[in-house]
Amino acid sequence: MHTVMPVYGTRPEAIKMAPVVRALQQSPLFRPTVVLTGQHRDILDQVNTTFGVSADADLGIMTPRQTLHDITVRTMTGLQPLLDRHVPDAVLVQGDTTSAMAAALAAFERKIPVVHIEAGLRSGDLFDPFPEEANRRIIGQIASLNLAPTAHAKRNLLASGVPEARIAVTGNTVIDALHLMLDRAPAFGDPALTRALAGDAPLVLVTAHRRENHGEPMRRIGTAVRVLAARFPDHVFVLPAHPNPAVREHLLAALGTAPNILVTAPVAFPEMVHLMDRATLILTDSGGVQEEAPALGSPVLVLRETTERPEAVLAGTSRLVGTHVETIVDEAAVLLTDPVRHAAMAHAASPFGDGHAAARTVAALGALLGGAERLPDFEAADADSLSVSR
């Protein structure tokens, strides 16, 4: 039996790691030792509880207004004794956070194989998004196994010099997580949210948190939502506010107090899935939402200048609009008033997964360490086979 160590600490990582951890726990080949870094403390615990995942260790790296340097040092320092104690056969990291990069480096320094889940995403600009683009490039170069979610991501890895033998195309594990959550009836913990969704009013979901949007871009996003809420008073604009003070102090101040804008605390992942499923339109700078929403048939306007997930743009399910007020308002207004344009985005195929990414991940890991063979690579199919709703 192989000892493997999944390491993660943010909510998106937890959501995408959960199907993998569950699959590892169910496999006779593996004994997972789950390590949390702990950036998103409360909502991280919420996600793990939702998926029935228990941690074996928690580094607790979070400090107020910590820097990227702090995250790197605290993650590597905290992992050292755990790697020495457990001597895992592989360390699994997900995505492009600084803690994922630091965990990968800590393992690499001990010549422990690194497995990179959701590998190969590229924006083409080393500083946008920052620091994520650099983080994922670093991990990709040192990983013994790169698990690309799509064929496009595999091509990025090949172009960066990663040997094909170190790449498997699995699909994105977030689609596995969506399948698990849509089987549950929606239950919203916030009474105001329950009341807002009780009627038939169209819902516009807004999420914003990216580091590159802190400051003036975040203020512009808030202003655009305020303008849209005034222009579409029969729509409900729901904004689960990220806990980061750098987000709240600019975004919330610009929103105003319109009666059809509902600001909530961060919602649990099952609630978020059902909000996305209910949404007429989604405005977001989140990478995860760009992947999740197309599988639910929900059009997405991406509040960023670049995206490392061009598959959704090419498939017609999302559109890059940046953070300028006029552009956001104009693009959103078109989708809220033109049924033909809206339907074209809502019914496009999702290119990100089929719900079996975790199985492909575990099989590829087994092939790396011994005891299993890889499954065939994921290939994007048509809209009917990839959609998990509507």
Side-chain angles (χ1 to χ4, degrees), residues 12 16 31 53 59 62 97 106-107 113 117 120 122 164 174 177 218 221 229 277 347-348 360 362 387:
K16 293 177 178 182
R31 182 174 64 249
V53 173
L59 305 185
M62 188 65 182
T97 63
I117 298 170
R122 299 290 186 270
E164 187 165 11
V174 77
M218 201 65 68
I221 292 170
D277 193 38
H347 293 96
R360 293 188 188 93
V362 171
S387 177

Side-chain angles (χ1 to χ4, degrees), residues 109-161:
E109 289 180 352
R110 285 166 172 72
K111 296 186 178 181
I112 297 171
V114 174
V115 177
H116 189 195
I117 298 170
E118 197 181 61
L121 277 62
R122 299 290 186 270
S123 71
D125 184 340
L126 189 61
F127 293 93
D128 190 3
F130 178 84
E132 288 85 357
E133 180 76 2
N135 288 339
R136 52 185 170 237
R137 292 192 196 188
I138 292 168
I139 300 170
Q141 293 301 317
I142 65 177
S144 297
L145 178 61
N146 285 277
L147 300 175
T150 65
H152 179 83
K154 177 180 178 178
R155 288 192 292 271
N156 289 337
L157 289 165
L158 292 172
S160 67

Side-chain angles (χ1 to χ4, degrees), residues 20-286:
V20 175
V21 172
R22 287 163 59 104
L24 289 170
Q25 291 171 335
Q26 294 164 9
S27 169
L29 287 177
F30 298 104
R31 182 174 64 249
T33 299
V34 178
V35 177
L36 306 182
T37 53
Q39 290 97 302
H40 296 172
R41 179 71 278 145
D42 293 337
I43 51 182
L44 180 65
D45 292 342
Q46 191 180 69
V47 172
N48 281 338
T49 299
T50 295
F51 285 99
V53 173
S54 298
D56 298 289
D58 189 334
L59 305 185
I61 70 168
M62 188 65 182
T63 57
R65 295 188 180 273
Q66 63 189 351
T67 66
L68 297 176
H69 175 80
D70 296 332
I71 294 172
T72 302
V73 171
R74 289 169 65 84
T75 299
M76 295 189 72
T77 302
L79 271 179
Q80 287 176 5
L82 294 176
L83 294 174
D84 292 340
R85 184 186 315 149
H86 296 282
V87 193
D89 298 303
V91 168
L92 284 64
V93 298
Q94 196 284 326
D96 50 23
T97 63
T98 297
S99 56
M101 180 274 294
L105 282 176
F108 178 75
E109 289 180 352
R110 285 166 172 72
K111 296 186 178 181
I112 297 171
V114 174
V115 177
H116 189 195
I117 298 170
E118 197 181 61
L121 277 62
R122 299 290 186 270
S123 71
D125 184 340
L126 189 61
F127 293 93
D128 190 3
F130 178 84
E132 288 85 357
E133 180 76 2
N135 288 339
R136 52 185 170 237
R137 292 192 196 188
I138 292 168
I139 300 170
Q141 293 301 317
I142 65 177
S144 297
L145 178 61
N146 285 277
L147 300 175
T150 65
H152 179 83
K154 177 180 178 178
R155 288 192 292 271
N156 289 337
L157 289 165
L158 292 172
S160 67
V162 176
E164 187 165 11
R166 285 165 46 192
I167 307 170
V169 182
T170 60
N172 200 301
T173 58
V174 77
I175 307 300
D176 299 37
L178 287 180
H179 277 276
L180 293 170
M181 292 302 101
L182 283 173
D183 290 338
R184 305 186 183 192
F188 297 101
D190 187 336
L193 193 53
T194 301
R195 291 192 298 270
L197 299 180
D200 297 325
L203 185 149
V204 178
L205 178 63
V206 184
T207 75
H209 73 281
R210 302 288 293 197
R211 185 182 295 267
E212 64 266 28
N213 281 341
H214 289 183
E216 180 61 19
M218 201 65 68
R219 187 197 64 78
R220 292 197 300 262
I221 292 170
T223 300
V225 173
R226 186 183 74 236
V227 172
L228 285 166
R231 185 175 298 185
F232 296 93
D234 58 333
H235 289 54
V236 177
F237 291 77
V238 175
L239 195 157
H242 196 278
N244 190 332
V247 173
R248 288 174 168 263
E249 64 187 4
H250 292 96
L251 179 63
L252 301 190
L255 280 178
T257 58
N260 60 331
I261 297 177
L262 176 58
V263 177
T264 74
V267 297
F269 183 61
E271 297 176 90
M272 188 64 178
V273 170
H274 288 284
L275 278 174
M276 289 189 292
D277 193 38
R278 170 78 158 72
T280 297
L281 174 64
I282 299 175
L283 309 179
T284 188
D285 64 3
S286 164

